[in-house]
Amino acid sequence: MDLAQRGTEACGCDLIYDVINQGLCMGCGTCVATCPVRAISMEYGKPNIDRDLCIKCGACYAQCPRSFFNFDVMNQFEAIGEAIDAAMLKGDE
Ligand code: SF4
Ligand code: SF4
């Protein structure tokens, strides 16, 4: 998925799946401060999202400093890196 699109279409559930459940959350609280409807609260140092309150604005995902390190994105970067390596090796032949 296009990264800019991901940042604007993601919801609190995506933050849970892509960041928190993958162990990427560092407990900075940015998502809590960003949420316009106060759907996120910190519990035991990690965000807890009330899905009934979430209006799926994507603000928490867009502002989270760790959301762009999720595995899907890292795989994309790895694929790009591999393509560059392959192209450079081909250039040496
Ligand atoms: S903004 Fe991201 S890293 Fe910070 S507390 Fe929220 S989910 Fe964790
Ligand atoms: S309302 Fe917006 S900022 Fe709050 S949890 Fe939902 S998507 Fe995130």
Side-chain angles (χ1 to χ4, degrees):
M1 184 184 289
D2 180 76
L3 294 184
Q5 187 183 17
R6 183 77 167 142
T8 54
E9 290 187 353
C11 69
C13 294
D14 294 308
L15 194 71
I16 293 171
Y17 178 77
D18 286 351
V19 179
I20 301 164
N21 287 357
Q22 295 197 33
L24 295 172
C25 174
M26 57 183 177
C28 68
T30 302
C31 54
V32 179
T34 304
C35 181
V37 294
R38 298 187 180 179
I40 313 174
S41 56
M42 291 299 273
E43 289 183 12
Y44 304 105
K46 291 284 182 284
N48 181 48
I49 300 172
D50 186 335
R51 296 175 195 207
D52 292 334
L53 291 178
C54 177
I55 57 172
K56 304 185 188 311
C57 69
C60 56
Y61 197 96
Q63 294 300 317
C64 172
R66 292 300 181 95
S67 62
F68 292 100
F69 288 97
N70 73 61
F71 292 152
D72 288 343
V73 174
M74 293 308 287
N75 287 339
Q76 285 180 34
F77 279 120
E78 282 178 15
I80 293 169
E82 285 169 9
I84 292 171
D85 287 346
M88 290 179 76
L89 283 174
K90 207 169 186 180
D92 289 342
E93 290 174 358

